Amino acid sequence: MSKRRSLTEAQCVSLAQKLLRERLCHQKLPDRPLALDSQYKHLLELLRRTAVHGESNSVLIVGPRGSGKTMLLGCVLRELMSLKEAQKNVLLVELNGLLQTDDKIALKEITRQLHLENVVGDKVFGSFAENLAFLLEALKKGDKSSSRPVVFVLDEFDLFAHHKNQTLLYNLLDVSQSAQTPVAVLGLTCRLDVLELLEKRVKSRFSHRQIHLFSSLSFAQYVDAVRAQLSLPPDFPDPKFSDAWNHSSYTQSLFPLSAFTAGIFKPIHLFLSVSRVSVSHSTLHEADLLEASRLISADSKAIILHGLSILELCLIIAMKHLNDTYDGEPFNFQMVHNEFKKFIQRKSHSIHKFEKPVVMKAFEHLLQLELVRPVDSGVCKVQREYQLMRLMLEHGQVMEALQRYPQCPTDVKQWALSAFA
């Protein structure tokens, strides 16, 4: 038996990783959202009135990232679509502020999801409102009472508020206020001040219904939820491996981690923890969770700074000094080079002197890494040396990177810390 166990060790690890990755990547909706009963009932009733009675509604679901907004909506829509009246009647349109970055793209996506590309054809519309009205009109079965209800889900709702004139929001909310077509507009956002972003004409057409989601789980309940996500199922092919995995040290180590705020372990943290498992390291440990948390919270720009040459680091410090001196005003290469030359003249014994073309090459490398960006992104006729730039790093990021930079010369550190360049 022991011989068979050793042969299947690698297979057990591989299978465990596959099961947990599938669970974390393809999150299965629970039967009912945990600790969100009142919000669930409220949202379901609103959508049921739209689907069954043809009543238009608009509502915002507000809560921090990871609080369960998408999960709540998914559970409600699943319940709604199980209703006989809604199954063949309700149409769902899902938009995301990160993908539909302007109203033109959003309108194309609405047309695609409503399967009306053939109906629109080559028609030319005078305005956004006219185009949307035509789409909704095309959904009518014949008489006003039999218009098909449409549920619009706007994920990252606050990003739609940054579109020009907020045309999409205005027209959707305008339709929901009128008796033209039964429409439900659902916005998902993590910004509590989202209503302040809306123009007066848009705000006046919004119903001002908001469903707030704040985690009411105790830390013990939260730990149980994390534990359930990381446990292997009872029907795992190798019970001995499954038992060892489910009773490994990570299950005891979650309680000492209460120093972290509840909710720190998102699926990506757990995914990274599972990825660290191997044949030689066949169970999860506290160190795996802590390392995953460290990787997620690491500052990507600070990590890039650790890989720069001393010359490039000196140019970053020169830019930091220019930012401090001129209160964040843009600078050009010539100004940075002059600042660097002043430092070299003072510390010529410790820092190698570089020719201007070499310094220019280092500056261009920083530009490629996007640590520095031109103010005018368009075609610029100004010479490269005099093109205005901005440093894309905060003061704290530069200072932290300097402290961690391997074998950084003392003179360079002192220059960065000095109040005067």
Side-chain angles (χ1 to χ4, degrees):
M1 182 70 186
S2 59
K3 189 176 179 183
R4 189 182 169 206
R5 172 85 179 100
S6 62
L7 285 172
T8 59
E9 179 81 19
Q11 292 171 332
C12 284
V13 169
S14 179
L15 184 58
Q17 282 187 322
K18 185 184 175 186
L19 282 168
L20 294 176
R21 280 172 179 161
E22 281 179 359
R23 185 187 292 169
L24 295 170
C25 290
H26 310 290
Q27 290 281 306
K28 190 182 174 184
L29 289 173
D31 296 331
R32 283 291 285 267
L34 191 65
L36 295 171
D37 278 345
S38 61
Q39 293 96 325
Y40 177 82
K41 287 173 184 172
H42 184 192
L43 187 58
L44 180 59
E45 181 57 25
L46 280 175
L47 292 184
R48 196 182 66 78
R49 291 210 298 264
T50 301
V52 179
H53 304 298
E55 179 188 308
S56 291
N57 282 303
S58 55
V59 62
L60 274 175
I61 304 172
V62 185
R65 297 199 185 281
S67 59
K69 299 185 292 295
T70 306
M71 181 264 293
L72 170 68
L73 182 60
C75 290
V76 168
L77 288 173
R78 181 183 61 191
E79 178 75 17
L80 182 75
M81 292 307 182
S82 68
L83 298 175
K84 192 176 178 182
E85 303 95 322
Q87 275 175 358
K88 295 179 181 178
N89 206 24
V90 175
L91 294 165
L92 180 65
V93 175
E94 295 179 287
L95 303 175
N96 191 305
L98 295 167
L99 301 175
Q100 283 77 48
T101 50
D102 64 48
D103 293 340
K104 194 175 178 182
I105 298 171
L107 198 56
K108 278 186 179 177
E109 184 61 18
I110 292 169
T111 308
R112 187 188 69 79
Q113 290 191 33
L114 294 176
H115 306 292
L116 294 174
E117 296 100 319
N118 294 336
V119 180
V120 173
D122 297 323
K123 285 187 175 67
V124 177
F125 299 96
S127 66
F128 184 95
E130 192 184 324
N131 196 336
L132 184 64
F134 176 82
L135 292 177
L136 296 174
E137 189 70 28
L139 298 172
K140 292 190 178 180
K141 292 180 182 173
D143 60 283
K144 190 177 178 180
S145 62
S146 62
S147 294
R148 295 186 70 179
V150 187
V151 177
F152 287 94
V153 177
L154 306 181
D155 208 350
E156 304 291 347
F157 181 85
D158 49 292
L159 297 181
F160 287 101
H162 296 299
H163 290 193
K164 188 181 177 184
N165 300 329
Q166 298 183 358
T167 312
L168 175 72
L169 294 181
Y170 172 76
N171 283 285
L172 287 179
L173 294 172
D174 191 46
V175 171
S176 74
Q177 285 285 301
S178 65
Q180 301 168 16
T181 308
V183 163
V185 181
L186 306 178
L188 281 73
T189 182
C190 54
R191 286 190 63 164
L192 291 169
D193 63 340
V194 67
L195 290 182
E196 302 305 314
L197 302 174
L198 301 180
E199 291 178 7
K200 190 177 178 181
R201 64 182 189 138
V202 179
K203 201 184 288 187
S204 67
R205 282 162 175 78
F206 176 55
S207 66
H208 289 266
R209 285 194 190 92
Q210 292 187 54
I211 297 174
H212 289 272
L213 269 60
F214 297 105
S215 179
S216 56
L217 295 177
S218 65
F219 187 74
Q221 288 173 314
Y222 166 71
V223 167
D224 287 339
V226 174
R227 208 174 266 160
Q229 285 289 307
L230 290 175
S231 297
L232 292 177
D235 58 351
F236 191 79
D238 191 324
K240 195 174 178 184
F241 180 88
S242 173
D243 206 44
W245 177 283
N246 291 342
H247 292 90
S248 60
S249 65
Y250 83 89
T251 55
Q252 282 76 43
S253 69
L254 283 170
F255 280 99
L257 295 177
S258 58
F260 296 107
T261 56
I264 192 169
F265 293 122
K266 305 280 191 314
I268 184 67
H269 289 87
L270 305 182
F271 190 91
L272 284 172
S273 305
V274 170
S275 298
R276 288 172 60 82
V277 176
S278 62
V279 177
S280 58
H281 178 73
S282 60
T283 53
L284 276 176
H285 297 281
E286 178 184 355
D288 299 322
L289 295 166
L290 291 171
E291 179 62 15
S293 183
R294 189 191 66 77
L295 287 171
I296 293 293
S297 58
D299 187 336
S300 58
K301 285 186 176 174
I303 292 168
I304 292 173
L305 288 175
H306 298 161
L308 297 180
S309 65
I310 292 294
L311 170 58
E312 288 162 348
L313 199 62
C314 285
L315 293 183
I316 291 283
I317 295 167
M319 293 174 213
K320 182 189 82 70
H321 280 308
L322 287 170
N323 265 353
D324 294 343
T325 309
Y326 298 108
D327 198 24
E329 288 294 309
F331 51 81
N332 57 38
F333 168 74
Q334 195 59 50
M335 292 165 71
V336 175
H337 187 245
N338 291 342
E339 202 73 26
F340 176 62
K341 265 179 28 182
K342 282 193 280 181
F343 167 65
I344 291 294
Q345 284 163 5
R346 289 201 308 273
K347 303 290 180 181
S348 56
H349 61 283
S350 60
I351 303 293
H352 178 71
K353 287 185 180 179
F354 294 95
E355 297 297 321
K356 191 173 178 178
V358 177
V359 180
M360 185 65 184
K361 194 74 178 169
F363 187 82
E364 285 174 347
H365 184 229
L366 296 177
L367 197 57
Q368 286 174 351
L369 293 171
E370 293 189 0
L371 297 175
V372 186
R373 292 189 71 176
V375 173
D376 182 16
S377 56
V379 179
C380 191
K381 293 180 181 178
V382 182
Q383 281 184 314
R384 284 187 308 168
E385 291 91 332
Y386 301 103
Q387 193 177 354
L388 289 177
M389 302 281 179
R390 281 192 193 279
L391 180 63
M392 306 307 290
L393 294 163
E394 299 291 331
H395 180 277
Q397 288 176 308
V398 177
M399 300 314 295
E400 187 187 343
L402 273 170
Q403 296 305 317
R404 296 184 180 184
Y405 192 89
Q407 298 176 338
C408 182
T410 309
D411 286 337
V412 173
K413 281 187 181 179
Q414 287 175 347
W415 180 40
L417 289 166
S418 64
F420 302 101

